[in-house]
Amino acid sequence: VFRAALMSTIWLLSMIFFDRSDSLNSLGIAATVMLVINPFYCGDFGFLLSFSATLGIILLSDSITAYCSKRIIKEKMPHLLKTVLKGIIAVISVTLSALIFTTPISVLLYGSISLVSLLSNLLVTPIIGVAIISAFLICIFYFIGFTPVVSLFALVFSVTAKYIFAVVSFISKIPFASVEVESEYIYAWI
């Protein structure tokens, strides 16, 4: 959360003062600031996973999206189908970009590679946005004191959270959901 907030702040400040921004520079500055504040983040897996996932998304997502869109989306397709396919391609490209950059760290940490992470991300990613927005709105309306709206957004959050937990529970029970990886092979990857 701190990384995301810091990156967003840097991005917004660069838009205000320089009339442009660069995600890669924002990520680098955010990492530098966080490491100056606490150098021990270098060994923190949460820090490493967060920054490597974001780096993967910044560097690869647009290329994967363009590549897949060029091959899948055809000019004569109905507009609705194109829109749905673009959404699916976007979710897949962001997920693959993050996975490519986080898999070596995950293997070092857990000793295995998930074979179902793409599926779980496809099922959960669109819903996470709804959960986050509803949680944010719960906080805002709670502080305002508008209880009926809080109850409504709490219901939305509850439903989305139950869905996410159900998907995670179901996918975790799939046989061969992950494969153990020998540590010497991962060093070749890194």
Side-chain angles (χ1 to χ4, degrees):
V1 174
F2 182 61
R3 180 214 35 90
L6 186 58
M7 255 190 87
S8 298
T9 302
I10 293 166
W11 186 84
L12 287 171
L13 289 173
S14 67
M15 289 297 288
I16 292 168
F17 292 113
F18 303 110
D19 212 18
R20 63 180 205 158
S21 70
D22 180 356
S23 298
L24 194 55
N25 285 337
S26 297
L27 181 66
I29 293 168
T32 303
V33 168
M34 288 182 71
L35 290 171
V36 166
I37 292 170
N38 184 356
F40 292 108
Y41 279 139
C42 282
D44 181 81
F45 282 111
F47 175 85
L48 295 172
L49 288 168
S50 174
F51 274 89
S52 61
T54 305
L55 182 62
I57 291 167
I58 290 170
L59 295 178
L60 296 179
S61 182
D62 289 343
S63 298
I64 293 172
T65 299
Y67 178 84
C68 292
S69 295
K70 188 176 180 181
R71 280 153 183 75
I72 295 171
I73 298 174
K74 304 300 177 196
E75 198 62 39
K76 295 182 180 182
M77 287 182 171
H79 178 72
L80 180 61
L81 180 58
K82 283 183 188 178
T83 303
V84 169
L85 287 174
K86 284 180 184 178
I88 292 170
I89 290 169
V91 170
I92 290 172
S93 68
V94 167
T95 300
L96 280 176
S97 301
L99 284 173
I100 289 168
F101 275 68
T102 58
T103 298
I105 297 166
S106 296
V107 168
L108 286 173
L109 181 59
Y110 302 113
S112 63
I113 294 177
S114 172
L115 301 177
V116 294
S117 56
L118 184 60
L119 173 63
S120 64
N121 278 301
L122 281 173
L123 295 173
V124 170
T125 299
I127 304 302
I128 285 180
V130 174
I132 291 170
I133 290 169
S134 61
F136 178 72
L137 292 172
I138 289 168
C139 293
I140 289 175
F141 286 111
Y142 177 79
F143 287 116
I144 293 172
F146 202 46
T147 314
V149 177
V150 171
S151 298
L152 174 68
F153 287 116
L155 176 64
V156 171
F157 180 78
S158 175
V159 169
T160 57
K162 285 178 183 175
Y163 169 79
I164 292 167
F165 286 122
V167 168
V168 170
S169 176
F170 172 76
I171 288 179
S172 69
K173 294 175 185 166
I174 295 175
F176 306 108
S178 66
V179 175
E180 300 295 318
V181 177
E182 296 294 324
S183 61
E184 61 266 8
Y185 297 119
I186 196 60
Y187 295 117
W189 186 344
I190 295 174

